[in-house]
PDB file of all heavy atoms in Angstrom:
ATOM      1  N   ARG A 442      83.985 -34.670  49.886  1.00 94.00           N
ATOM      2  CA  ARG A 442      85.349 -34.316  49.799  1.00 94.00           C
ATOM      3  C   ARG A 442      85.553 -32.980  49.086  1.00 94.00           C
ATOM      4  O   ARG A 442      86.479 -32.198  49.444  1.00 94.00           O
ATOM      5  CB  ARG A 442      86.176 -35.416  49.129  1.00 94.00           C
ATOM      6  CG  ARG A 442      85.842 -35.651  47.678  1.00 94.00           C
ATOM      7  CD  ARG A 442      86.807 -36.649  47.019  1.00 94.00           C
ATOM      8  NE  ARG A 442      86.689 -37.923  47.634  1.00 94.00           N
ATOM      9  CZ  ARG A 442      85.818 -38.875  47.226  1.00 94.00           C
ATOM     10  NH1 ARG A 442      85.038 -38.611  46.217  1.00 94.00           N
ATOM     11  NH2 ARG A 442      85.772 -40.045  47.822  1.00 94.00           N
ATOM     12  N   GLU A 443      84.750 -32.697  48.106  1.00 96.00           N
ATOM     13  CA  GLU A 443      84.868 -31.397  47.402  1.00 96.00           C
ATOM     14  C   GLU A 443      84.544 -30.236  48.362  1.00 96.00           C
ATOM     15  O   GLU A 443      85.201 -29.214  48.284  1.00 96.00           O
ATOM     16  CB  GLU A 443      83.890 -31.353  46.211  1.00 96.00           C
ATOM     17  CG  GLU A 443      84.270 -32.266  45.036  1.00 96.00           C
ATOM     18  CD  GLU A 443      83.888 -33.718  45.290  1.00 96.00           C
ATOM     19  OE1 GLU A 443      83.186 -33.981  46.277  1.00 96.00           O
ATOM     20  OE2 GLU A 443      84.294 -34.596  44.460  1.00 96.00           O
ATOM     21  N   GLY A 444      83.550 -30.446  49.194  1.00 96.00           N
ATOM     22  CA  GLY A 444      83.248 -29.402  50.187  1.00 96.00           C
ATOM     23  C   GLY A 444      84.394 -29.206  51.166  1.00 96.00           C
ATOM     24  O   GLY A 444      84.712 -28.072  51.535  1.00 96.00           O
ATOM     25  N   ALA A 445      85.003 -30.309  51.597  1.00 96.00           N
ATOM     26  CA  ALA A 445      86.157 -30.227  52.532  1.00 96.00           C
ATOM     27  C   ALA A 445      87.328 -29.527  51.897  1.00 96.00           C
ATOM     28  O   ALA A 445      87.938 -28.674  52.501  1.00 96.00           O
ATOM     29  CB  ALA A 445      86.538 -31.656  52.987  1.00 96.00           C
ATOM     30  N   ILE A 446      87.646 -29.884  50.635  1.00 96.00           N
ATOM     31  CA  ILE A 446      88.776 -29.238  49.950  1.00 96.00           C
ATOM     32  C   ILE A 446      88.502 -27.745  49.802  1.00 96.00           C
ATOM     33  O   ILE A 446      89.373 -26.909  50.097  1.00 96.00           O
ATOM     34  CB  ILE A 446      88.984 -29.889  48.583  1.00 96.00           C
ATOM     35  CG1 ILE A 446      89.489 -31.316  48.785  1.00 96.00           C
ATOM     36  CG2 ILE A 446      89.954 -29.061  47.734  1.00 96.00           C
ATOM     37  CD1 ILE A 446      89.404 -32.157  47.468  1.00 96.00           C
ATOM     38  N   ALA A 447      87.312 -27.379  49.382  1.00 97.00           N
ATOM     39  CA  ALA A 447      86.969 -25.971  49.209  1.00 97.00           C
ATOM     40  C   ALA A 447      87.070 -25.216  50.512  1.00 97.00           C
ATOM     41  O   ALA A 447      87.578 -24.097  50.586  1.00 97.00           O
ATOM     42  CB  ALA A 447      85.561 -25.840  48.631  1.00 97.00           C
ATOM     43  N   ALA A 448      86.536 -25.805  51.602  1.00 96.00           N
ATOM     44  CA  ALA A 448      86.575 -25.114  52.900  1.00 96.00           C
ATOM     45  C   ALA A 448      87.974 -24.920  53.418  1.00 96.00           C
ATOM     46  O   ALA A 448      88.325 -23.854  53.953  1.00 96.00           O
ATOM     47  CB  ALA A 448      85.759 -25.936  53.940  1.00 96.00           C
ATOM     48  N   LEU A 449      88.868 -25.919  53.256  1.00 96.00           N
ATOM     49  CA  LEU A 449      90.229 -25.809  53.686  1.00 96.00           C
ATOM     50  C   LEU A 449      90.978 -24.751  52.905  1.00 96.00           C
ATOM     51  O   LEU A 449      91.712 -23.917  53.499  1.00 96.00           O
ATOM     52  CB  LEU A 449      90.954 -27.180  53.579  1.00 96.00           C
ATOM     53  CG  LEU A 449      90.589 -28.209  54.615  1.00 96.00           C
ATOM     54  CD1 LEU A 449      91.007 -29.587  54.192  1.00 96.00           C
ATOM     55  CD2 LEU A 449      91.174 -27.874  55.979  1.00 96.00           C
ATOM     56  N   VAL A 450      90.817 -24.727  51.601  1.00 96.00           N
ATOM     57  CA  VAL A 450      91.502 -23.732  50.782  1.00 96.00           C
ATOM     58  C   VAL A 450      90.985 -22.334  51.099  1.00 96.00           C
ATOM     59  O   VAL A 450      91.797 -21.380  51.280  1.00 96.00           O
ATOM     60  CB  VAL A 450      91.319 -24.060  49.286  1.00 96.00           C
ATOM     61  CG1 VAL A 450      91.832 -22.936  48.402  1.00 96.00           C
ATOM     62  CG2 VAL A 450      91.999 -25.350  48.910  1.00 96.00           C
ATOM     63  N   VAL A 451      89.680 -22.159  51.158  1.00 95.00           N
ATOM     64  CA  VAL A 451      89.121 -20.849  51.467  1.00 95.00           C
ATOM     65  C   VAL A 451      89.493 -20.389  52.865  1.00 95.00           C
ATOM     66  O   VAL A 451      89.831 -19.239  53.050  1.00 95.00           O
ATOM     67  CB  VAL A 451      87.570 -20.855  51.317  1.00 95.00           C
ATOM     68  CG1 VAL A 451      86.938 -19.572  51.813  1.00 95.00           C
ATOM     69  CG2 VAL A 451      87.207 -21.054  49.828  1.00 95.00           C
ATOM     70  N   GLY A 452      89.397 -21.301  53.835  1.00 92.00           N
ATOM     71  CA  GLY A 452      89.756 -20.906  55.224  1.00 92.00           C
ATOM     72  C   GLY A 452      91.165 -20.423  55.349  1.00 92.00           C
ATOM     73  O   GLY A 452      91.449 -19.374  55.971  1.00 92.00           O
ATOM     74  N   MET A 453      92.120 -21.167  54.797  1.00 91.00           N
ATOM     75  CA  MET A 453      93.530 -20.756  54.872  1.00 91.00           C
ATOM     76  C   MET A 453      93.750 -19.441  54.085  1.00 91.00           C
ATOM     77  O   MET A 453      94.445 -18.528  54.570  1.00 91.00           O
ATOM     78  CB  MET A 453      94.439 -21.861  54.342  1.00 91.00           C
ATOM     79  CG  MET A 453      94.584 -23.045  55.302  1.00 91.00           C
ATOM     80  SD  MET A 453      95.820 -24.248  54.808  1.00 91.00           S
ATOM     81  CE  MET A 453      94.931 -25.179  53.557  1.00 91.00           C
ATOM     82  N   SER A 454      93.175 -19.363  52.909  1.00 92.00           N
ATOM     83  CA  SER A 454      93.397 -18.171  52.058  1.00 92.00           C
ATOM     84  C   SER A 454      92.808 -16.935  52.656  1.00 92.00           C
ATOM     85  O   SER A 454      93.438 -15.860  52.684  1.00 92.00           O
ATOM     86  CB  SER A 454      92.746 -18.377  50.665  1.00 92.00           C
ATOM     87  OG  SER A 454      93.292 -19.541  50.043  1.00 92.00           O
ATOM     88  N   TYR A 455      91.606 -17.033  53.228  1.00 91.00           N
ATOM     89  CA  TYR A 455      90.943 -15.873  53.825  1.00 91.00           C
ATOM     90  C   TYR A 455      91.745 -15.336  55.010  1.00 91.00           C
ATOM     91  O   TYR A 455      91.933 -14.093  55.134  1.00 91.00           O
ATOM     92  CB  TYR A 455      89.544 -16.236  54.306  1.00 91.00           C
ATOM     93  CG  TYR A 455      88.658 -15.044  54.649  1.00 91.00           C
ATOM     94  CD1 TYR A 455      87.771 -14.551  53.688  1.00 91.00           C
ATOM     95  CD2 TYR A 455      88.720 -14.405  55.857  1.00 91.00           C
ATOM     96  CE1 TYR A 455      86.957 -13.455  54.006  1.00 91.00           C
ATOM     97  CE2 TYR A 455      87.960 -13.323  56.162  1.00 91.00           C
ATOM     98  CZ  TYR A 455      87.044 -12.855  55.240  1.00 91.00           C
ATOM     99  OH  TYR A 455      86.271 -11.750  55.521  1.00 91.00           O
ATOM    100  N   ASN A 456      92.272 -16.215  55.821  1.00 87.00           N
ATOM    101  CA  ASN A 456      93.058 -15.789  56.967  1.00 87.00           C
ATOM    102  C   ASN A 456      94.364 -15.144  56.550  1.00 87.00           C
ATOM    103  O   ASN A 456      94.819 -14.184  57.164  1.00 87.00           O
ATOM    104  CB  ASN A 456      93.285 -16.922  57.911  1.00 87.00           C
ATOM    105  CG  ASN A 456      92.126 -17.109  58.878  1.00 87.00           C
ATOM    106  OD1 ASN A 456      92.023 -16.370  59.861  1.00 87.00           O
ATOM    107  ND2 ASN A 456      91.282 -18.097  58.617  1.00 87.00           N
ATOM    108  N   ILE A 457      94.982 -15.662  55.503  1.00 85.00           N
ATOM    109  CA  ILE A 457      96.210 -15.088  55.037  1.00 85.00           C
ATOM    110  C   ILE A 457      95.981 -13.687  54.465  1.00 85.00           C
ATOM    111  O   ILE A 457      96.711 -12.723  54.769  1.00 85.00           O
ATOM    112  CB  ILE A 457      96.861 -15.991  53.944  1.00 85.00           C
ATOM    113  CG1 ILE A 457      97.421 -17.294  54.564  1.00 85.00           C
ATOM    114  CG2 ILE A 457      97.980 -15.252  53.230  1.00 85.00           C
ATOM    115  CD1 ILE A 457      97.850 -18.319  53.603  1.00 85.00           C
ATOM    116  N   ILE A 458      94.882 -13.514  53.695  1.00 87.00           N
ATOM    117  CA  ILE A 458      94.589 -12.238  53.081  1.00 87.00           C
ATOM    118  C   ILE A 458      94.171 -11.195  54.148  1.00 87.00           C
ATOM    119  O   ILE A 458      94.666 -10.058  54.158  1.00 87.00           O
ATOM    120  CB  ILE A 458      93.485 -12.363  52.051  1.00 87.00           C
ATOM    121  CG1 ILE A 458      93.961 -13.189  50.864  1.00 87.00           C
ATOM    122  CG2 ILE A 458      92.985 -10.991  51.546  1.00 87.00           C
ATOM    123  CD1 ILE A 458      92.849 -13.612  49.862  1.00 87.00           C
ATOM    124  N   TYR A 459      93.248 -11.569  55.045  1.00 86.00           N
ATOM    125  CA  TYR A 459      92.656 -10.563  55.958  1.00 86.00           C
ATOM    126  C   TYR A 459      93.278 -10.567  57.322  1.00 86.00           C
ATOM    127  O   TYR A 459      92.876  -9.721  58.168  1.00 86.00           O
ATOM    128  CB  TYR A 459      91.154 -10.767  56.017  1.00 86.00           C
ATOM    129  CG  TYR A 459      90.445 -10.408  54.731  1.00 86.00           C
ATOM    130  CD1 TYR A 459      90.007 -11.407  53.885  1.00 86.00           C
ATOM    131  CD2 TYR A 459      90.338  -9.080  54.347  1.00 86.00           C
ATOM    132  CE1 TYR A 459      89.375 -11.102  52.666  1.00 86.00           C
ATOM    133  CE2 TYR A 459      89.727  -8.776  53.134  1.00 86.00           C
ATOM    134  CZ  TYR A 459      89.274  -9.787  52.324  1.00 86.00           C
ATOM    135  OH  TYR A 459      88.684  -9.440  51.120  1.00 86.00           O
ATOM    136  N   ASN A 460      94.215 -11.460  57.619  1.00 81.00           N
ATOM    137  CA  ASN A 460      94.969 -11.375  58.890  1.00 81.00           C
ATOM    138  C   ASN A 460      96.442 -11.171  58.680  1.00 81.00           C
ATOM    139  O   ASN A 460      97.058 -10.265  59.249  1.00 81.00           O
ATOM    140  CB  ASN A 460      94.751 -12.670  59.700  1.00 81.00           C
ATOM    141  CG  ASN A 460      93.466 -12.656  60.466  1.00 81.00           C
ATOM    142  OD1 ASN A 460      93.027 -11.602  60.954  1.00 81.00           O
ATOM    143  ND2 ASN A 460      92.824 -13.826  60.606  1.00 81.00           N
ATOM    144  N   VAL A 461      97.056 -11.994  57.832  1.00 76.00           N
ATOM    145  CA  VAL A 461      98.490 -11.959  57.659  1.00 76.00           C
ATOM    146  C   VAL A 461      98.920 -10.666  56.970  1.00 76.00           C
ATOM    147  O   VAL A 461      99.824  -9.931  57.423  1.00 76.00           O
ATOM    148  CB  VAL A 461      99.017 -13.162  56.886  1.00 76.00           C
ATOM    149  CG1 VAL A 461     100.487 -13.028  56.602  1.00 76.00           C
ATOM    150  CG2 VAL A 461      98.735 -14.462  57.667  1.00 76.00           C
ATOM    151  N   ILE A 462      98.270 -10.321  55.866  1.00 79.00           N
ATOM    152  CA  ILE A 462      98.703  -9.129  55.099  1.00 79.00           C
ATOM    153  C   ILE A 462      98.535  -7.845  55.950  1.00 79.00           C
ATOM    154  O   ILE A 462      99.440  -7.040  55.972  1.00 79.00           O
ATOM    155  CB  ILE A 462      97.937  -9.017  53.762  1.00 79.00           C
ATOM    156  CG1 ILE A 462      98.376 -10.181  52.856  1.00 79.00           C
ATOM    157  CG2 ILE A 462      98.187  -7.683  53.101  1.00 79.00           C
ATOM    158  CD1 ILE A 462      97.642 -10.232  51.531  1.00 79.00           C
ATOM    159  N   PRO A 463      97.396  -7.624  56.657  1.00 80.00           N
ATOM    160  CA  PRO A 463      97.304  -6.430  57.474  1.00 80.00           C
ATOM    161  C   PRO A 463      98.365  -6.371  58.551  1.00 80.00           C
ATOM    162  O   PRO A 463      98.951  -5.320  58.858  1.00 80.00           O
ATOM    163  CB  PRO A 463      95.902  -6.511  58.049  1.00 80.00           C
ATOM    164  CG  PRO A 463      95.128  -7.295  57.088  1.00 80.00           C
ATOM    165  CD  PRO A 463      96.068  -8.310  56.540  1.00 80.00           C
ATOM    166  N   GLU A 464      98.641  -7.545  59.204  1.00 73.00           N
ATOM    167  CA  GLU A 464      99.694  -7.594  60.238  1.00 73.00           C
ATOM    168  C   GLU A 464     101.038  -7.266  59.625  1.00 73.00           C
ATOM    169  O   GLU A 464     101.847  -6.532  60.185  1.00 73.00           O
ATOM    170  CB  GLU A 464      99.743  -8.948  60.918  1.00 73.00           C
ATOM    171  CG  GLU A 464      98.542  -9.210  61.806  1.00 73.00           C
ATOM    172  CD  GLU A 464      98.593  -8.419  63.070  1.00 73.00           C
ATOM    173  OE1 GLU A 464      99.679  -7.999  63.467  1.00 73.00           O
ATOM    174  OE2 GLU A 464      97.473  -8.125  63.643  1.00 73.00           O
ATOM    175  N   THR A 465     101.299  -7.827  58.447  1.00 71.00           N
ATOM    176  CA  THR A 465     102.576  -7.528  57.769  1.00 71.00           C
ATOM    177  C   THR A 465     102.717  -6.055  57.421  1.00 71.00           C
ATOM    178  O   THR A 465     103.788  -5.457  57.634  1.00 71.00           O
ATOM    179  CB  THR A 465     102.684  -8.392  56.482  1.00 71.00           C
ATOM    180  OG1 THR A 465     102.481  -9.735  56.783  1.00 71.00           O
ATOM    181  CG2 THR A 465     104.021  -8.197  55.835  1.00 71.00           C
ATOM    182  N   ALA A 466     101.648  -5.475  56.926  1.00 72.00           N
ATOM    183  CA  ALA A 466     101.694  -4.062  56.539  1.00 72.00           C
ATOM    184  C   ALA A 466     101.944  -3.153  57.731  1.00 72.00           C
ATOM    185  O   ALA A 466     102.573  -2.103  57.624  1.00 72.00           O
ATOM    186  CB  ALA A 466     100.403  -3.664  55.863  1.00 72.00           C
TER     187      ALA A 466
END
Side-chain angles (χ1 to χ4, degrees):
R442 66 173 64 88
E443 290 80 7
I446 292 167
L449 286 165
V450 171
V451 170
M453 286 189 279
S454 301
Y455 193 97
N456 275 283
I457 289 171
I458 294 170
Y459 291 105
N460 278 325
V461 175
I462 292 178
E464 289 289 335
T465 305

